[in-house]
Each structure stands twice: as structure tokens, then as C-alpha cells.
């Protein structure tokens, strides 16, 4: 059993806004080869205001500075891609890559500290589709992706809302990088 009880009032206000533009152009080079060029731009902004107030004996009116924070985050992502596609009756082979630049700026309104992070990625991809006939095919895909940490993971404030899992955000947290290989066989009648 816990030796102490946490008697606090927690308030969290979060707002998020996301805008994205994608442009893709495909140009046939020959009857069997084509090239695809793409560009994406994403502008993401969010605000997370956490307030924790301790009980004073009559009301929840004692601001707990260690557990409170007001954080503003903006992230801009530029991503350009290039694919080469070879396609004949039974086969489709695609190989390509995307280059991505992520600029993230986080402003801690409570402590008036600015954190910024820039991440550049090369995200390769490849795919092979083999059609056995009109009703069967085999697909092999290789994809890569990268995920940026979200605002709650970056915010350097202790979260004690679950006493069994107390967490602290890390403003230096780096993005993840995933590689996936999928093999699918389709057959239908």
C-alpha cells in the first residue's frame, strides 16, 4: 500500500492544428518504365498547458510548479520522393526513396526556454508484384518510416497521474526509425 496519498487537481488543455499539402507527378519514360516525383509539406502546431494544484486544506489553490507546465510546439516537415517503376504484364518493380527534413521548435512558456531539433532522413522503399494470372499475385514490399516524438513525450514535466507509472518527458528525445518487409500472397476465384 502507498505510504502517502496524492491529493491534487490536474487540468490539461491541449490544442493541435495540422496542415498538409501533397503533390505527385508520374511521367512515362518508355512503355515499361515510368518515374514518379512527389513532394509533401506538413505544418503542425500544438499547445499543451498542464496545471497541477495541491490541496491546501480548504481548496485546490496551491500551484505545484514542478508538475505544471505550458508548452508550445511547432513542426514543419518537407519531404521529397523519387520512384522508378518498371511494369510489364506479370511484373511490377518499384524502387525509390524519400528525403525528409523535419524542423521542430518547442517553447516552454513556463520556464521561457526554447528547444529546437532538426532531423534529416533518407527513407528508402522497394516493391515487387508478380501476377500468376488474373486471380493470383505475390507482393513483396520494403518500406521505411520515421516517427517524431509527440509533445507529451518532449515536455520535461513529471506526470504522476498514474502512481504506478510516473513518467518524465525528455526534450532531447530522438525520432524512431522503422523498417518493414511484407510478403503477401493473394488468390481468389
Amino acid at each position: 500500500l502507498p505510504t502517502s496519498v496524492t491529493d491534487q487537481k490536474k487540468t490539461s488543455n491541449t490544442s493541435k492544428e495540422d496542415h498538409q499539402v501533397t503533390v505527385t507527378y508520374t511521367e512515362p519514360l518508355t512503355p515499361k518504365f515510368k518515374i514518379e516525383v512527389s513532394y509533401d509539406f506538413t505544418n503542425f502546431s500544438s499547445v499543451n498547458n498542464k496545471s497541477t494544484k495541491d490541496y491546501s486544506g480548504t481548496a485546490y489553490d496551491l500551484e505545484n510548479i514542478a508538475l505544471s507546465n505550458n508548452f508550445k510546439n511547432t513542426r514543419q516537415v518537407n519531404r521529397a520522393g523519387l520512384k522508378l517503376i518498371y511494369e510489364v504484364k506479370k511484373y511490377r518493380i518499384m524502387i525509390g526513396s524519400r528525403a525528409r527534413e523535419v524542423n521542430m521548435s518547442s517553447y516552454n512558456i513556463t520556464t521561457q526556454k526554447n528547444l529546437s531539433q532538426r532531423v534529416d532522413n533518407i527513407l528508402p522503399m522497394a516493391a515487387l508484384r508478380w501476377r500468376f494470372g488474373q486471380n493470383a499475385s505475390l507482393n513483396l514490399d520494403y518500406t521505411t518510416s520515421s516517427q517524431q516524438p509527440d509533445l507529451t513525450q518532449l515536455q520535461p514535466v513529471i506526470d504522476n497521474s498514474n502512481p504506478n507509472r510516473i513518467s518524465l518527458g525528455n526534450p532531447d528525445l530522438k525520432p524512431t526509425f522503422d523498417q518493414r518487409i511484407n510478403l503477401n500472397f493473394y488468390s481468389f476465384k
Side-chain angles (χ1 to χ4, degrees):
L1 294 174
T3 56
S4 64
V5 175
T6 303
D7 192 4
Q8 298 172 328
K9 180 181 179 182
K10 295 181 178 295
T11 307
S12 181
N13 294 315
T14 303
S15 66
K16 296 179 181 181
E17 194 171 306
D18 191 5
H19 302 279
Q20 184 173 2
V21 175
T22 302
V23 177
T24 303
Y25 177 73
T26 305
E27 176 70 29
L29 301 174
T30 68
K32 295 179 183 178
F33 282 99
K34 52 185 155 176
I35 193 166
E36 182 179 291
V37 179
S38 63
Y39 174 75
D40 302 13
F41 175 76
T42 304
N43 188 33
F44 176 82
S45 62
S46 61
V47 175
N48 190 5
N49 187 357
K50 285 184 176 182
S51 174
T52 302
K53 297 193 177 186
D54 294 327
Y55 189 66
S56 65
T58 57
Y60 294 96
D61 56 1
L62 298 174
E63 183 80 24
N64 188 325
I65 301 296
L67 302 177
S68 300
N69 203 356
N70 195 355
F71 214 74
K72 184 178 181 182
N73 188 37
T74 58
R75 182 172 59 218
Q76 290 185 338
V77 180
N78 290 289
R79 186 173 65 179
L82 182 66
K83 295 180 189 176
L84 181 62
I85 302 165
Y86 174 77
E87 193 165 18
V88 292
K89 282 186 177 183
K90 292 187 177 189
Y91 301 100
R92 182 178 197 268
I93 301 170
M94 182 277 298
I95 188 164
S97 184
R98 292 171 295 182
R100 187 177 82 153
E101 174 193 67
V102 180
N103 290 305
M104 188 165 46
S105 175
S106 302
Y107 180 63
N108 188 332
I109 298 168
T110 305
T111 62
Q112 298 182 352
K113 289 186 180 177
N114 211 1
L115 304 167
S116 62
Q117 189 179 65
R118 179 184 162 150
V119 178
D120 296 318
N121 297 105
I122 300 293
L123 304 169
M125 66 184 98
L128 168 66
R129 182 181 66 207
W130 177 27
R131 287 190 177 172
F132 295 64
Q134 290 188 352
N135 61 349
S137 68
L138 180 70
N139 295 340
L140 177 64
D141 295 315
Y142 170 73
T143 57
T144 57
S145 63
S146 179
Q147 181 70 38
Q148 295 296 121
D150 68 17
L151 184 58
T152 57
Q153 294 171 317
L154 294 171
Q155 197 169 7
V157 175
I158 296 171
D159 182 1
N160 68 345
S161 57
N162 181 351
N164 295 320
R165 186 175 178 263
I166 296 174
S167 63
L168 172 66
N170 180 358
D172 297 321
L173 197 60
K174 300 295 182 197
T176 64
F177 184 79
D178 296 324
Q179 299 183 63
R180 294 176 189 235
I181 296 176
N182 293 318
L183 179 64
N184 297 309
F185 175 73
Y186 298 99
S187 178
F188 59 92
K189 294 183 181 181

